[in-house]
Amino acid sequence: MGRLAVAVIVSCWVIPISISVNRIVPDPYMDEIFHVPQAQQYCKGNFTSWDPMITTPPGLYFLSLAHVASFFPGMLCIQAVSSFFDACSTVALRSTNGVLAVICSIVVYEIISQLRPELNKRRATLYTVVLALYPLHWFFTYLYYTDVASLTAVLTSYLMCMKKNYPLSAVLGALAVLVRQTNIVWILFVGCSGIINYTLGFQKDKHSEQLDDSSVLDQKDGWLVSGKTAATGSNLRRRRLSSTVDSSDHSTPKNFSSSSNSSDLIDDIKEILVTSWYIKWRLLLLFSPYVMLLVAFVGFVYWNGSIVLGAKEGHAVSPHFAQLMYFGLLSALLMVPVHFTLSQTAVLYQSLRKLRVLGIVLCLTGFTTAFLSVNFFSIAHPYLLADNRHYTFYIWRKIINFHWSTKYLMVPLYVYSWFSIFSILAKF
């Protein structure tokens, strides 16, 4: 089990389903009517042609050119292909996403292995296969859309950042933005996560130096702290060292109370900010590729006058915070056995109950945010109302907009979904 097993398993459904889709829907379908002709123009070498209805950059088309070029000589032997353009059929272009889906699954496996090194290969493979079947990703694998290429580029950029290869991560981030410009948000996340991880590593190294000079074991609390900072040592450092204490057969640390955990989190954030400022020039040098990418993106938006390339009138920037509510609920529904169970509900209830006043504040904040998002920032885009080929068309008409009160009645589901998601992510 491992990378090869993941690639084989994912290929076992990508290949036959791709064949079935191409047999049933041989011609460009839905938004493919824009992407396929545009890619074929690039196959002709006509790089100045551009369909004004396409909103995303041409990153996917360049990837397709490389993909088709890789098997073009073989196609000459199998069938009569008079030119490179003839090789850029709808089937060939769609196969770009099929290959990327397999690559994406391998990247996911690597990320899981990095995040959870204690997992054996069999379990990591199982998790990867489950994630590869995620409906929103799985569906677009068989059509010529930007989704799969976008996700693959973002996750690969994140993986390289985890491995501290920041220049390559930024280059892959640029590719992600070139496929879909809104990925700039995810690349900012990747860069920030890299900064946090580097800062935590710097703190650990500095504390290790202090321990080399003098260390003392506080028998009362069971914490291993520097004698110099025994009274003022950070909670973040203490929690990191608790595993060291346990492995050394020292006394077991006490469990923090929920209120203590909350104050610890605030202290940790403060410590990270202070340390980041202390090593700001080092961080700026290491993460300068991300800064350059951000500056280039801002320059592009200023030059273009908009984030999107084409159809600007239909893609104006608007505050649509209700989308975050939809995302949380959909993500939870796609994993019903994990989120909507009595045990998970009990865990959330007990967690909020232990927080006492803070738990009440969190609930009120969640409900208030969800209500305001639904009431003031819920947008029905003209495309949503006009195209009945999308599932969202029916979800909006039959569920969300079924009655004026329906969207408010769904607020508790939105709040529950996000709380459940956060509680599970906190375990990693």
Side-chain angles (χ1 to χ4, degrees), residues 370-401:
F371 178 82
L372 293 176
S373 299
V374 168
N375 189 65
F376 295 106
F377 303 103
S378 182
I379 300 174
H381 196 278
Y383 292 177
L384 173 66
L385 303 176
D387 196 340
N388 63 359
R389 296 175 299 175
H390 290 87
Y391 290 116
T392 50
F393 173 86
Y394 298 98
I395 293 175
W396 175 262
R397 289 189 59 190
K398 303 296 184 180
I399 301 178
I400 298 176
N401 205 38

Side-chain angles (χ1 to χ4, degrees), residues 190-212:
V190 169
C192 290
S193 67
I195 291 174
I196 292 174
N197 290 333
Y198 184 85
T199 302
L200 292 176
F202 179 83
Q203 290 176 338
K204 185 177 180 180
D205 292 340
K206 291 293 290 183
H207 185 62
S208 296
E209 294 176 2
Q210 292 174 348
L211 287 178
D212 290 339

Side-chain angles (χ1 to χ4, degrees), residues 116-286:
R116 301 285 298 277
E118 74 278 6
L119 291 178
N120 57 43
K121 291 185 177 181
R122 183 183 298 275
R123 187 168 291 274
T125 300
L126 176 62
Y127 287 173
T128 302
V129 171
V130 171
L131 289 174
L133 288 168
Y134 192 76
L136 295 182
H137 169 70
W138 184 89
F139 176 81
F140 290 106
T141 298
Y142 314 104
L143 297 175
Y144 193 59
Y145 277 53
T146 59
D147 299 71
V148 178
S150 170
L151 179 64
T152 303
V154 168
L155 291 180
T156 309
S157 175
Y158 180 51
L159 177 61
M160 291 300 103
C161 181
M162 294 174 69
K163 293 186 175 183
K164 299 182 180 180
N165 191 339
Y166 305 123
L168 179 56
S169 174
V171 170
L172 291 167
L175 174 61
V177 174
L178 191 60
V179 172
R180 182 176 283 182
Q181 60 271 53
T182 50
N183 282 333
I184 189 66
V185 176
W186 289 113
I187 301 308
L188 285 176
F189 164 80
V190 169
C192 290
S193 67
I195 291 174
I196 292 174
N197 290 333
Y198 184 85
T199 302
L200 292 176
F202 179 83
Q203 290 176 338
K204 185 177 180 180
D205 292 340
K206 291 293 290 183
H207 185 62
S208 296
E209 294 176 2
Q210 292 174 348
L211 287 178
D212 290 339
D213 297 333
S214 65
S215 63
V216 62
L217 178 63
D218 187 334
Q219 298 295 339
K220 180 179 179 181
D221 292 329
W223 296 116
L224 184 62
V225 297
S226 167
K228 187 177 179 180
T229 58
T232 60
S234 74
N235 297 310
L236 179 65
R237 182 164 57 242
R238 289 177 176 180
R239 284 200 296 274
R240 287 204 308 271
L241 288 172
S242 64
S243 60
T244 304
V245 174
D246 291 338
S247 63
S248 302
D249 293 331
H250 293 300
S251 59
T252 304
K254 294 180 181 179
N255 291 328
F256 284 110
S257 65
S258 299
S259 58
S260 177
N261 277 331
S262 302
S263 61
D264 291 346
L265 177 61
I266 296 174
D267 292 339
D268 294 346
I269 293 174
K270 290 180 180 178
E271 185 175 359
I272 290 174
L273 291 175
V274 170
T275 306
S276 298
W277 178 255
Y278 176 72
I279 58 173
K280 56 183 178 297
W281 299 117
R282 185 184 303 187
L283 291 176
L284 182 61
L285 179 62
L286 282 174

